[in-house]
Amino acid sequence: MTTLETRYHDVLQTIQHHAQQANRNPDDITLVAVTKTWPVETILAAYAVGMRHFGENRAEELEEKRPQVEAALGPDSGIVWHFIGTLQSRQTNPVADHADVFHALDRLKIANRLSKRLVENGRSSTHPLPSFLELNVSGEMSKSGVNATDWENSATQRAEIRNFGETVAALPGLTLHGVMTMAPWEAEPAVISTVFRRSRLLAEWLAEAMGLERPLALSMGMTDDYPLAIAEGATHIRVGRALFGERQTH
Ligand SMILES: *Cc1c(COP(=O)(O)O)cnc(C)c1O
């Protein structure tokens, strides 16, 4: 087995183990392989060993790599492209054109710009962009994400989150798919678990407040903390280094 294959199998086993520990079905957890900074060859190698969900965090990289991968594998490869990074408003068009799922919807301006483009490029009627609201639950990750640091006690925060969710759900071209959270850096496992648990409760509260028929998905957990995220209910984990090794840049 190649290193990549070994790492992939290790991650799959870890997912299975922690899902079972939590009485969850491992099939309910989507492994998003984060290929940011890695070349197209790495994506093709990952595809060859079975990975199908890929995550990028820069619009230019997604825009560059997706057509190259499609040229190599054809349009029916079964790959799902996830955009996981915070977006600047000037980068919304490539994401509306090339992403299948968006994990980091953190403000209305971005939602509006994406929606406008998704109408223009025709996707709003055929395949809208499922989006996760990025919520800042821990408070430690600084800027990005809607403020949810005290959502349990703050009616103001809850109203803002709900309003954001309802606005996104009503915008043409976007569907409200879930909630995304980042854990605090280098915190104790108990602290990280608490942030993940509070995020799950927030997603449950929001789905109920909005009267949604289906539960909201939960994008949380990266290389250092995805077992904790699975234990707390993550449906999408975003894993880079555990699969591909250390990145050379950003
Ligand atoms: C880079 C990145 C990841 C993956 O991080 P690893 O530590 O390599 O697993 C996950 N989510 C986001 C938003 C990222 O930017």
Side-chain angles (χ1 to χ4, degrees):
M1 286 214 284
T2 62
T3 309
L4 180 58
E5 206 168 5
T6 307
R7 285 176 173 151
Y8 179 46
H9 287 177
D10 285 349
V11 169
L12 289 181
Q13 264 185 4
T14 305
I15 293 170
Q16 184 136 17
H17 173 77
H18 289 275
Q20 273 163 3
Q21 295 273 309
N23 276 318
R24 301 187 55 205
N25 183 347
D27 294 344
D28 293 339
I29 297 155
T30 299
L31 170 63
V32 179
V34 177
T35 45
K36 65 186 185 194
T37 77
W38 293 103
V40 165
E41 294 73 54
T42 304
I43 300 177
L44 297 177
Y47 181 85
V49 302
M51 294 180 226
R52 291 295 178 270
H53 292 262
F54 294 104
E56 292 289 340
N57 78 330
R58 290 173 56 211
E60 313 85 71
E61 258 185 271
L62 175 68
E63 193 176 22
E64 197 180 297
K65 291 178 184 173
R66 181 173 183 157
Q68 290 182 46
V69 170
E70 278 176 3
L73 300 175
D76 302 322
S77 62
I79 290 182
V80 180
W81 294 91
H82 298 252
F83 193 83
I84 61 172
T86 304
L87 257 188
Q88 307 300 319
S89 46
R90 63 186 156 75
Q91 302 170 319
T92 46
N93 286 358
V95 169
D97 293 346
H98 298 289
D100 297 311
V101 184
F102 180 39
H103 287 244
L105 193 48
D106 64 347
R107 54 201 197 278
L108 207 49
K109 185 180 179 191
I110 298 294
N112 282 324
R113 289 183 64 107
L114 284 171
S115 173
K116 185 165 173 277
R117 178 68 168 200
L118 289 157
V119 170
E120 280 167 10
N121 71 11
R123 279 186 65 174
S124 59
S125 50
T126 55
H127 52 300
L129 181 64
S131 301
F132 290 77
L133 307 184
E134 183 176 355
L135 300 177
N136 184 349
V137 172
S138 78
E140 286 183 45
M141 271 303 295
S142 66
K143 288 128 239 141
S144 61
V146 177
N147 187 3
T149 51
D150 191 30
W151 73 269
E152 296 91 340
N153 302 307
S154 166
T156 311
Q157 287 185 9
R158 284 199 301 276
E160 270 167 20
I161 294 161
R162 182 178 171 173
N163 186 35
F164 188 40
E166 284 172 347
T167 307
V168 168
L171 279 172
L174 296 169
T175 58
L176 176 60
H177 192 65
V179 158
M180 183 271 225
T181 308
M182 305 273 273
W185 296 116
E186 296 180 350
E188 294 292 316
V191 174
I192 294 174
S193 289
T194 301
V195 167
F196 288 154
R197 188 170 319 136
R198 292 179 56 217
S199 303
R200 171 172 50 79
L201 293 170
L202 175 47
E204 287 171 5
W205 166 78
L206 182 60
E208 166 139 18
M210 290 181 63
L212 301 180
E213 274 158 26
R214 280 187 295 160
L216 287 166
L218 267 175
S219 172
M220 56 189 198
M222 311 176 17
T223 290
D224 294 331
D225 52 28
Y226 72 90
L228 301 174
I230 290 169
E232 299 300 341
T235 62
H236 293 67
I237 57 174
R238 311 177 310 269
V239 178
R241 289 170 300 135
L243 294 166
F244 303 111
E246 293 296 327
R247 288 175 288 274
Q248 300 304 308
T249 51
H250 72 264

